[in-house]
C-alpha cells in the first residue's frame, strides 16, 4: 500500500487539506474523502460531464484529474455555487424552467454554464449548445436546459 | 417558491392547481448538489465491492477459484452463485416485464454458464474500491468457450447453438402469460399470435400492397447514473438496502425472493434516482451487496462502471420484422400482416408482445395477422426501455405506411386520418378501444404551423409518424398527514425520476383547495408506506395520483365531520368550496381548511388518511413526431433541423414536466434513429461500451424540440390524466426515416441510420440510376 499524499487546496472558498492515494481521482477525493457528493460520476472517463468542476477558472471533468494535482489549486463545485444570499441565477432559472428531470446531470450543467456566463453573459443559443456539448443529459432533450441558461444570462447581464 | 399560472384550454378552467407550473418541491436539492443518489451513500465502516464479469459471450464455467482474491490484504468477503440459495421458478409481477427470481439470481451471479460478455460471476468487498478491483482480477475462472449466437434470425435456425439446453417454445395466447409448452427445444422462448378477420381476403381486395423487411439492433436506456446499491445485513437478520431504483417494493420483493427470506426482513430505502427509463426495474446488485454484507458483517456498497452498465444491464431488443400492408385506391387499409422476432438477450422476456399489440394500433384494420417471437441470444438480458418493444414495431409499420401512401398518391396525414382508430374500434387482440385521441393528435399535426410551413432547400425533407402506448395502471399507496398550520405532508411509495412528487402533490392540493406549496411530498421507504408499484409504465402521475386524490377525499370527509360536530349538523350537509367548509343549513357557518386543521387536536385528534389505488380504466396514449432533416450527400450525416412532438396527455398536471417527457422521449428516439447501437464483434464483445463511442445525442446535435399538448380526458382518472412518460419515444425513428426519404428518396429499413448506412443507401440509389 502506497503512502498517502498530502494535498492543500481551496474548495468553494475554504482552505482545505486532505490525504489521498496517488491513484485516486479528484472526483474520488471530492466525493469520498471530502464528502462533497454533489459532483456526480456518470462514466469516469470524461465523456458525460456529470463530474464537471471549476479548477482555477477552467471547467474540467474531475474524473480525469488526479487528486494530487489539486495541490495549490482553487476548486469550485456545485456546493459552492449558491451563496448565503441565495441561489445563483442559473439555479433559480433551472428550477423555474423545469430544466431538470432526474437531476443527476444538473450539477455538471450548472457548473459548466456558470463558467460560460461569467465570460459571455450574452451567449446565444448556438454558443450555449456548443459550450454544453460535453455534458450529457438523457432526460430533457436539452431544450429546457438551453432556455434556462439563456434566461439566466439575461439575469446575469442585468437585462431581466 | 413561485407559481406561474397559465391557463391553456377552456376545459381546464375548473382547476386551480392542475395545469399550473409550480417549482418542484425537490428541486432545490438537485440544483445545489445536496440530494443524495445511489452512489452517494456513506455508512460507518462501509466496504466497497466490485464484480468479476465474463470475458466470453457464451461459455461453460468449469471452475472458480477465489483463494488468491480472499488472501489480498483489505479484502473482507468474496461471493459467487454458490452463496445464493436454490430457489424455484416463480414469476413476480414487475409491471412491464415478468420477473422470475431464479432468472434474476442467475443474471446477478452466473452459476454453470455465462450467457453474455459482462455476465457477473463473482463479487469482492474490500476496504477500498481499488483493492476490490485488484482482488476481482485475482479470481481464476476456467471456461469452456462456446460459440455465441448474436443475431435473431441465426438464433432461430434449426442448427443454431442452444443458449439454454432445455428451453422449449411456448405458444402464448395472452401477453404476460407463460402459455402452452410445445416441448420443442430451441432458442425461441415463445410465439404469440394475434388474428382478426381474414388477411388473404383482405389483401385480395387491396389495390396496392407494400411489404418490407426491417432490422434494429439493441440500444441502451442511457441513464447517466450507473446502478448503485448499498446493503447492510444486521446480525438479527434485518437487511436494509439503499438504492436508486424505479420501485423500492419491486427491489424488496425481488431481493427477498432471490435470497429466500421474508419480505418483512428487507427494507429498501429509496435514494434519488439518476434516470431509469425502464432499466432500473430489475435488480442486479442488491442481492450481491446483501450477500457480501452478510459475509463481511459490514455495510457494502457496489457501484457499476459505465462499461458494466453497457455490458451488464438491460439494453432493449434488437429485432427482425416484416410488415405487409394493403390498401384500396380510396385510401382504406384492407389488411396487414406483421412478423416480429425480438432478441431477449440471455433469458426469455423480450417486449415483443407490446410491439405486436401496439405497432398497428393507430389504424382501424379489420384483417390482421401478427406473429411475434421471443428469441434468446448471447446478449445482455434485455430490460424495459420507455414503451418497451413498441418503437421497433412503429419503425416498421410507419415506414411501410409512408411508402404505401406514396404509392397510392395520397398525402400521408390524409392516409392516416382515413384509417385512424376511434373509440369502440377493436385492437388487434379484439378488445375495443376506450376513449382515445388518435384523430385529435392527427388533426393537431395538420393544423400546426410546423406542418403548414413549407420546407425549402436541397436534400431537405419532412417526415411524420404516429406512436401508441398502452400505459400502465398498477397499484400505489399514499398517506396524507394534516399539520396544525393547515399544510399537509404527503407520503407515497413512488420514486421520483422526473417530477412526480410535484405532479402527485398538485392533485392532492387540487382536492383540498391548497396551493402546491402547502403540500410536502416525501417518497417513503418500504416500511413507511403501503405497497406501490414501479415508477414506470407511465403510471405514476396517473395511479399514484389516484391514491393521493382518494386520501385527500378522506381528509376532506374527516374535516367535514369535525365541522359538523361544531355546528351540530351532519357531514352530508357541509359543502367544500374554494378551501372553505360551509354549512348548507346556515351559510354563515364557515370554516377554512386552516381553521379546522388548527383546532384538530380539540375536535378529535390528528387528521390523517391513507389510500391505495387499483385502477381498472387506464388511459392509453397516442403521440406523433413531425421532423425536418437535411441529409449531407457527401458524408451521409443526417441533421435534425426542426422537430415537434405531439401527444394526447389526457390532462397536463404540470405542463412543464409533461413537455419535458415529450422532449426527452423524442430525443431518445432521435438518438435511436441516427446514432445509437450495440456494436458487437463476432465474438460477442460490445465494441463501443463508452459514452464516447455509443454516442447519445448532445445539445449540439439538436434543435429546440417543440411540443403540442393535446388533452382528450381519460375517463378513468378524476381529473382526466393519462400517463405521459413513454409514448414520445415511439414515433421518432419512423418519422426520421420518412423525412430522409422525403429529402433524398431513399428508404432506410435498418437502425441506426448512421452516416455509413445512409451513404451506402445513396450509393445503391445512384447505381440503380434512380
Amino acid at each position: 500500500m502506497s503512502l498517502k499524499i498530502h494535498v492543500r487546496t481551496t474548495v468553494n472558498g475554504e482552505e482545505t487539506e486532505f490525504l489521498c492515494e496517488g491513484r485516486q481521482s479528484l472526483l474520488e477525493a471530492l466525493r469520498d474523502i471530502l464528502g462533497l457528493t454533489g459532483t456526480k460520476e456518470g462514466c469516469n472517463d470524461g465523456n458525460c460531464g456529470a463530474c464537471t468542476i471549476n479548477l482555477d477558472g477552467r471547467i474540467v471533468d474531475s474524473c480525469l484529474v488526479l487528486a494530487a494535482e489539486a495541490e495549490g489549486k482553487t476548486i469550485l463545485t456545485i456546493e459552492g455555487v449558491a451563496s448565503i444570499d441565495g441561489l445563483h441565477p442559473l439555479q433559480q432559472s433551472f428550477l423555474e424552467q423545469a430544466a431538470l428531470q432526474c437531476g443527476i446531470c444538473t450539477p455538471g450543467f450548472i457548473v459548466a454554464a456558470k463558467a460560460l456566463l461569467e465570460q459571455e453573459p450574452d451567449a446565444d443559443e448556438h454558443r450555449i449548445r456548443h459550450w454544453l456539448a460535453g455534458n450529457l443529459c438523457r432526460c430533457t432533450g436539452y431544450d429546457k436546459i438551453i432556455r434556462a441558461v439563456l434566461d439566466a444570462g439575461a439575469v446575469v447581464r442585468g437585462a431581466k | 417558491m413561485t407559481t406561474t399560472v397559465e391557463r391553456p384550454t377552456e376545459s381546464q378552467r375548473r382547476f386551480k392547481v392542475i395545469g399550473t407550473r409550480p417549482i418542484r418541491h425537490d428541486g432545490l436539492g438537485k440544483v445545489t448538489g445536496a440530494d443524495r443518489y445511489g452512489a452517494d451513500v456513506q455508512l460507518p465502516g462501509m466496504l466497497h465491492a466490485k464484480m468479476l464479469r465474463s470475458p466470453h459471450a457464451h461459455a461453460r464455467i468449469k471452475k472458480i477459484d477465489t483463494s488468491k482474491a480472499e488472501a489480498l490484504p483489505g479484502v473482507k468477503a468474496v461471493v459467487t452463485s454458490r452463496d445464493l440459495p436454490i430457489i424455484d421458478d416463480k414469476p413476480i409481477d414487475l409491471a412491464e416485464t415478468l420477473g422470475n427470481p431464479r432468472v434474476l439470481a442467475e443474471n446477478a451471479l452466473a452459476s454453470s454458464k455465462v450467457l453474455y460478455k459482462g455476465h457477473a460471476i463473482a463479487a469482492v468487498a474490500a476496504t477500498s474500491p481499488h483493492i476490490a478491483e485488484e482482488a476481482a482480477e485475482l479470481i481464476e475462472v476456467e471456461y469452456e468457450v462456446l460459440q455465441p449466437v448474436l443475431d435473431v434470425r441465426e438464433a432461430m435456425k434449426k442448427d443454431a447453438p442452444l443458449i439454454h439446453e432445455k428451453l422449449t417454445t411456448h405458444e402464448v395466447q395472452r401477453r404476460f402469460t407463460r402459455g402452452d409448452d410445445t416441448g420443442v427445444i430451441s432458442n425461441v422462448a415463445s410465439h404469440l399470435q394475434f388474428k382478426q378477420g381474414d388477411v388473404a381476403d383482405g389483401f385480395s381486395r387491396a389495390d396496392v400492397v407494400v411489404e418490407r423487411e426491417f432490422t434494429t439492433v439493441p440500444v441502451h436506456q442511457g441513464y447517466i447514473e450507473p446502478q448503485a446499491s448499498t446493503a447492510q445485513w444486521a446480525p438479527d437478520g434485518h437487511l436494509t438496502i439503499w438504492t436508486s431504483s424505479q420501485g423500492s417494493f419491486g427491489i424488496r420483493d425481488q431481493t427477498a425472493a432471490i435470497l429466500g427470506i421474508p419480505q418483512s426482513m428487507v427494507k429498501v430505502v429509496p435514494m434519488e434516482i439518476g434516470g431509469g427509463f425502464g432499466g432500473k426495474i430489475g435488480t442486479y446488485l442488491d442481492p450481491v451487496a446483501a450477500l457480501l454484507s452478510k459475509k463481511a458483517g459490514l455495510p457494502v456498497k457496489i457501484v457499476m462502471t459505465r462499461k458494466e452498465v453497457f455490458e451488464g444491464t438491460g439494453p432493449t431488443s434488437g429485432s427482425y420484422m416484416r410488415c405487409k400492408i394493403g390498401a384500396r385506391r380510396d385510401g382504406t387499409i384492407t389488411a396487414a400482416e406483421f412478423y416480429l422476432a425480438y432478441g431477449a438477450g440471455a433469458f426469455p422476456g423480450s417486449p415483443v408482445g407490446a410491439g405486436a399489440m401496439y405497432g398497428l394500433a393507430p389504424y382501424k384494420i379489420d384483417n390482421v395477422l401478427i406473429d411475434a417471437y421471443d428469441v434468446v441470444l448471447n446478449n445482455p438480458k434485455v430490460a424495459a426501455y420507455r414503451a418497451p418493444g413498441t418503437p421497433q414495431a412503429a419503425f416498421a409499420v410507419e415506414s411501410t405506411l409512408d411508402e404505401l401512401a406514396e404509392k397510392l398518391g395520397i398525402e400521408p396525414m390524409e392516409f392516416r386520418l382515413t384509417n385512424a382508430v376511434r373509440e369502440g374500434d377493436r385492437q388487434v387482440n379484439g378488445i375495443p378501444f376506450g376513449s382515445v385521441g388518435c384523430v385529435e393528435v392527427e388533426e393537431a399535426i395538420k393544423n400546426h404551423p410546423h406542418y403548414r410551413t413549407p420546407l425549402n432547400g436541397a436534400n431537405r425533407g419532412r417526415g411524420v409518424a404516429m406512436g401508441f402506448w398502452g400505459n400502465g395502471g398498477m397499484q400505489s399507496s399514499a398517506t396524507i398527514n394534516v399539520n396544525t398550520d393547515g399544510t399537509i405532508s404527503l407520503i407515497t411509495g413512488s420514486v421520483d425520476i422526473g417530477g412526480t412528487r410535484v405532479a402527485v402533490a398538485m392533485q392532492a392540493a387540487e382536492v383540498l383547495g391548497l396551493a402546491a406549496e402547502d403540500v410536502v411530498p416525501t417518497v417513503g421507504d418500504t416500511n413507511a408506506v403501503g405497497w406501490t408499484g414501479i415508477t414506470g409504465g407511465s403510471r405514476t402521475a396517473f395511479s399514484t395520483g389516484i391514491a393521493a386524490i382518494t386520501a385527500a377525499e378522506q381528509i376532506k370527509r374527516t374535516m367535514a365531520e369535525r365541522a359538523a360536530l361544531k355546528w351540530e349538523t351532519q357531514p352530508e350537509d357541509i359543502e367544500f368550496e374554494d378551501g372553505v367548509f360551509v354549512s348548507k343549513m346556515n351559510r354563515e357557518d364557515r370554516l377554512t381548511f386552516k381553521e379546522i386543521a388548527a383546532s384538530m387536536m380539540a375536535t378529535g385528534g390528528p387528521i390523517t388518511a391513507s389510500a391505495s389505488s387499483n385502477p381498472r380504466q387506464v388511459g392509453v396514449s397516442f403521440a406523433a413526431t413531425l421532423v425536418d432533416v437535411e441529409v449531407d450527400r457527401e458524408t451521409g450525416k443526417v441533421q435534425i433541423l426542426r422537430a415537434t412532438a405531439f401527444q394526447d396527455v389526457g390532462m397536463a398536471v404540470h405542463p412543464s414536466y409533461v413537455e419535458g417527457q415529450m422532449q426527452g422521449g423524442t430525443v431518445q428516439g432521435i438518438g435511436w434513429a441516427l446514432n445509437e447501437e450495440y456494436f458487437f464483434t463476432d465474438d460477442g464483445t460490445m465494441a463501443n461500451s463508452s459514452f464516447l463511442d455509443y454516442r447519445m445525442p448532445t445539445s449540439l446535435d439538436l434543435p429546440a424540440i417543440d411540443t403540442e399538448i393535446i388533452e382528450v380526458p381519460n375517463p378513468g382518472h378524476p381529473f382526466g390524466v393519462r400517463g405521459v412518460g413513454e409514448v414520445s419515444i415511439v414515433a421518432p425513428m419512423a418519422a426520421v426515416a420518412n423525412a430522409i426519404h422525403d429529402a433524398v428518396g431513399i428508404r432506410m429499413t435498418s437502425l441506426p441510420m448512421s452516416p455509413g448506412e445512409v451513404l451506402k443507401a445513396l450509393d445503391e440509389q445512384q447505381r440503380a440510376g434512380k
Side-chain angles (χ1 to χ4, degrees):
Chain A
M1 184 52 60
S2 58
L3 287 175
K4 290 203 171 178
I5 302 163
H6 178 216
V7 178
R8 263 175 304 199
T9 174
T10 303
V11 180
N12 299 330
E14 292 290 326
E15 283 184 26
T16 305
E17 294 177 66
F18 60 83
L19 292 174
C20 66
E21 291 178 38
R23 61 186 170 182
Q24 282 184 300
S25 69
L26 183 51
L27 173 62
E28 277 184 88
L30 290 170
R31 289 177 52 82
D32 297 341
I33 301 172
L34 300 177
L36 295 171
T37 55
T39 304
K40 304 300 182 189
E41 179 181 322
C43 68
N44 207 31
D45 54 12
N47 290 321
C48 77
C51 66
T52 305
I53 60 163
N54 194 310
L55 185 68
D56 275 355
R58 290 182 61 196
I59 53 166
V60 296
D61 290 325
S62 58
C63 71
L64 297 184
V65 180
L66 286 170
E69 291 181 274
E71 173 67 31
K73 294 210 160 57
T74 299
I75 294 167
L76 177 84
T77 71
I78 186 65
E79 287 91 346
V81 172
S83 72
I84 194 80
D85 302 322
L87 295 177
H88 185 275
L90 274 163
Q91 293 172 312
Q92 188 61 35
S93 180
F94 267 62
L95 291 177
E96 287 173 6
Q97 302 281 332
L100 61 147
Q101 286 177 32
C102 81
I104 195 87
C105 69
T106 309
F109 269 97
I110 287 176
V111 170
K114 182 170 180 286
L116 173 66
L117 294 186
E118 277 164 8
Q119 298 162 28
E120 304 172 41
D122 56 351
D124 65 5
E125 181 189 341
H126 184 75
R127 178 70 178 140
I128 295 168
R129 285 188 181 275
H130 197 274
W131 184 269
L132 295 177
N135 292 77
L136 291 177
C137 169
R138 190 59 158 174
C139 295
T140 64
Y142 305 101
D143 188 286
K144 291 185 189 298
I145 293 175
I146 305 302
R147 286 172 208 272
V149 177
L150 280 167
D151 214 50
V155 175
V156 167
R157 62 178 191 266
K160 191 176 173 181
Chain B
M1 293 205 287
T2 56
T3 302
T4 318
V5 180
E6 191 183 301
R7 286 276 35 94
T9 65
E10 184 65 35
S11 65
Q12 288 181 321
R13 293 244 164 87
R14 60 192 175 105
F15 298 124
K16 287 201 157 57
V17 182
I18 304 293
T20 65
R21 300 173 188 248
I23 286 177
R24 63 193 280 179
H25 304 77
D26 57 320
L28 188 71
K30 296 194 164 63
V31 298
T32 58
D35 270 6
R36 290 165 76 235
Y37 289 73
D40 299 339
V41 177
Q42 295 283 0
L43 296 171
M46 187 179 80
L47 302 174
H48 299 265
K50 289 283 175 187
M51 314 287 294
L52 173 74
R53 293 175 181 275
S54 169
H56 306 293
H58 195 192
R60 233 178 282 285
I61 300 172
K62 309 291 275 185
K63 196 178 146 202
I64 306 175
D65 182 354
T66 59
S67 56
K68 283 183 189 156
E70 281 158 12
L72 189 74
V75 170
K76 301 292 177 186
V78 180
V79 296
T80 66
S81 69
R82 281 171 298 192
D83 297 287
L84 285 166
I86 293 161
I87 47 173
D88 303 330
D89 275 284
K90 201 170 123 198
I92 48 177
D93 193 350
L94 296 179
E96 296 200 324
T97 42
L98 272 185
N100 179 335
R102 196 187 54 74
V103 166
L104 291 165
E106 189 64 36
N107 196 41
L109 286 171
S111 59
S112 56
K113 258 180 115 180
V114 285
L115 301 172
Y116 53 94
K117 183 177 182 293
H119 197 163
I121 296 167
V124 182
T127 48
S128 92
H130 297 283
I131 296 172
E133 194 176 356
E134 280 176 29
E137 286 165 14
L138 294 175
I139 297 171
E140 289 168 355
V141 185
E142 210 177 293
Y143 300 97
E144 178 195 340
V145 179
L146 305 169
Q147 192 189 335
V149 187
L150 304 169
D151 176 80
V152 173
R153 274 171 293 175
E154 292 295 323
M156 292 176 84
K157 285 181 179 163
K158 282 215 159 36
D159 57 349
L162 290 174
I163 291 165
H164 300 277
E165 279 81 2
K166 289 177 184 162
L167 181 72
T168 51
T169 308
H170 284 66
E171 280 293 335
V172 183
Q173 282 74 40
R174 241 161 30 86
R175 278 174 69 204
F176 304 130
T177 60
R178 192 81 179 89
D180 299 329
D181 191 350
T182 61
V184 179
I185 291 176
S186 81
N187 292 321
V188 180
S190 67
H191 168 235
L192 168 70
Q193 189 177 71
F194 293 116
K195 201 173 166 185
Q196 298 289 322
D198 180 341
V199 278
D201 180 59
F203 281 118
S204 73
R205 287 186 289 111
D207 296 311
V208 180
V209 175
V210 172
E211 181 173 14
R212 289 279 177 193
E213 286 181 301
F214 299 87
T215 58
T216 72
V217 292
V219 296
H220 199 272
Q221 294 82 352
Y223 36 81
I224 306 297
E225 181 205 32
Q227 265 86 352
S229 181
T230 305
Q232 184 164 30
W233 205 328
D236 66 357
H238 281 95
L239 170 61
T240 306
I241 293 169
W242 294 261
T243 190
S244 53
S245 80
Q246 286 180 243
S248 310
F249 286 88
I251 295 296
R252 183 197 68 174
D253 297 354
Q254 292 172 71
T255 305
I258 291 168
L259 297 175
I261 59 175
Q263 290 168 349
S264 59
M265 296 303 274
V266 186
K267 177 170 88 170
V268 174
V269 182
M271 305 305 294
E272 294 303 317
I273 171 171
F277 313 107
K280 291 182 185 167
I281 299 169
T283 182
Y284 299 91
L285 301 176
D286 312 289
V288 180
L291 288 172
L292 287 167
S293 174
K294 191 179 190 181
K295 267 198 173 176
L298 289 166
V300 174
K301 176 161 83 174
I302 315 184
V303 183
M304 283 195 197
T305 63
R306 178 54 51 183
K307 190 179 173 68
E308 285 181 289
V309 171
F310 275 120
E311 292 190 340
T313 72
T316 190
S317 299
S319 63
Y320 165 77
M321 297 170 289
R322 214 164 47 233
C323 185
K324 180 179 174 186
I325 307 176
R328 292 204 309 259
R329 284 265 164 246
D330 66 1
T332 315
I333 297 175
T334 58
E337 237 176 65
F338 196 16
Y339 173 101
L340 311 88
Y342 281 23
F347 300 94
S350 78
V352 71
M357 263 289 283
Y358 299 152
L360 289 158
Y363 308 100
K364 182 185 183 318
I365 311 173
D366 293 333
N367 307 300
V368 184
L369 179 64
I370 301 170
D371 284 294
Y373 296 86
D374 182 34
V375 184
V376 291
L377 297 171
N378 292 117
N379 294 170
K381 168 181 159 34
V382 300
Y385 179 25
R386 207 169 201 154
T390 309
Q392 296 95 322
F395 171 57
V397 168
E398 295 291 318
S399 298
T400 307
L401 219 86
D402 194 71
E403 188 171 351
L404 185 54
E406 184 193 13
K407 294 217 157 98
L408 287 164
I410 302 175
E411 202 282 325
M413 279 318 301
E414 285 306 325
F415 185 43
R416 289 187 170 87
L417 265 167
T418 303
N419 297 286
V421 287
R422 294 175 157 78
E423 185 168 352
D425 288 341
R426 289 190 185 282
Q427 304 178 67
V428 294
N429 63 356
I431 298 171
F433 277 112
S435 156
V436 288
C438 185
V439 172
E440 287 81 353
V441 167
E442 291 174 0
E443 294 287 358
I445 297 168
K446 283 182 61 187
N447 295 325
H448 197 274
H450 181 176
Y451 192 78
R452 298 170 81 91
T453 308
L455 176 66
N456 300 313
N459 303 319
R460 291 181 166 192
R462 176 170 291 165
V464 66
M466 290 294 293
F468 174 80
W469 177 244
N471 290 338
M474 286 190 78
Q475 301 76 17
S476 290
S477 301
T479 295
I480 294 176
N481 300 314
V482 177
N483 301 318
T484 51
D485 65 358
T487 59
I488 64 169
S489 87
L490 168 67
I491 308 161
T492 76
S494 289
V495 297
D496 185 350
I497 318 187
T500 53
R501 281 186 187 89
V502 66
V504 174
M506 287 169 76
Q507 296 178 59
E510 184 73 47
V511 173
L512 295 174
L514 300 172
E517 293 80 3
D518 293 331
V519 185
V520 178
T522 301
V523 181
D525 67 51
T526 53
N527 287 350
V529 65
W531 196 92
T532 298
I534 56 161
T535 296
S538 306
R539 61 171 291 279
T540 306
F542 166 71
S543 185
T544 308
I546 291 175
I549 289 167
T550 311
E553 293 288 354
Q554 286 175 27
I555 295 286
K556 219 163 77 177
R557 268 199 301 282
T558 306
M559 286 202 155
E561 284 163 16
R562 301 291 171 96
L565 265 177
K566 183 167 180 177
W567 299 327
E568 295 179 344
T569 177
Q570 299 302 312
E572 298 77 46
D573 296 327
I574 292 172
E575 285 175 348
F576 184 65
E577 23 182 73
D578 294 334
V580 184
F581 293 87
V582 184
S583 168
K584 285 192 261 183
M585 301 297 135
N586 176 7
R587 315 266 331 158
E588 306 280 286
D589 282 340
R590 298 165 61 84
L591 281 170
T592 64
F593 186 95
K594 276 192 174 15
E595 287 165 339
I596 296 178
S599 65
M600 71 182 174
M601 299 313 174
T603 58
I607 297 176
T608 70
S610 290
S612 295
S613 63
N614 190 18
R616 290 274 166 253
Q617 207 176 354
V618 176
V620 298
S621 285
F622 282 95
T625 305
L626 177 62
V627 66
D628 297 348
V629 304
E630 183 170 315
V631 180
D632 185 328
R633 282 184 177 273
E634 296 291 315
T635 63
K637 185 175 189 288
V638 176
Q639 188 67 39
I640 306 290
L641 302 174
R642 185 175 183 181
T644 307
F646 299 81
Q647 189 172 321
D648 171 20
V649 306
M651 187 64 65
V653 177
H654 191 308
S656 294
Y657 287 99
V658 170
E659 291 159 5
Q661 290 297 320
M662 295 165 68
Q663 292 166 328
T666 302
V667 166
Q668 283 184 319
I670 289 170
W672 196 342
L674 295 178
N675 306 315
E676 295 179 34
E677 65 178 308
Y678 269 56
F679 189 92
F680 288 111
T681 58
D682 290 344
D683 66 357
T685 302
M686 183 189 184
N688 58 335
S689 58
S690 74
F691 272 145
L692 182 68
D693 297 318
Y694 181 75
R695 196 62 178 85
M696 304 193 311
T698 71
S699 54
L700 197 54
D701 297 321
L702 299 158
I705 309 294
D706 292 331
T707 54
E708 178 81 2
I709 290 175
I710 294 119
E711 294 178 313
V712 179
N714 168 20
H717 183 282
F719 302 142
V721 172
R722 292 175 194 270
V724 298
E726 293 166 289
V727 71
S728 53
I729 199 175
V730 176
M733 288 80 92
V736 171
N738 294 340
I740 291 172
H741 176 261
D742 189 46
V744 292
I746 53 173
R747 289 272 172 205
M748 300 300 294
T749 55
S750 294
L751 295 181
M753 298 175 279
S754 52
E757 295 300 314
V758 171
L759 266 190
K760 221 190 297 175
L762 285 169
D763 283 350
E764 276 169 31
Q765 179 194 42
Q766 206 166 20
R767 273 202 303 276
K770 280 187 215 159

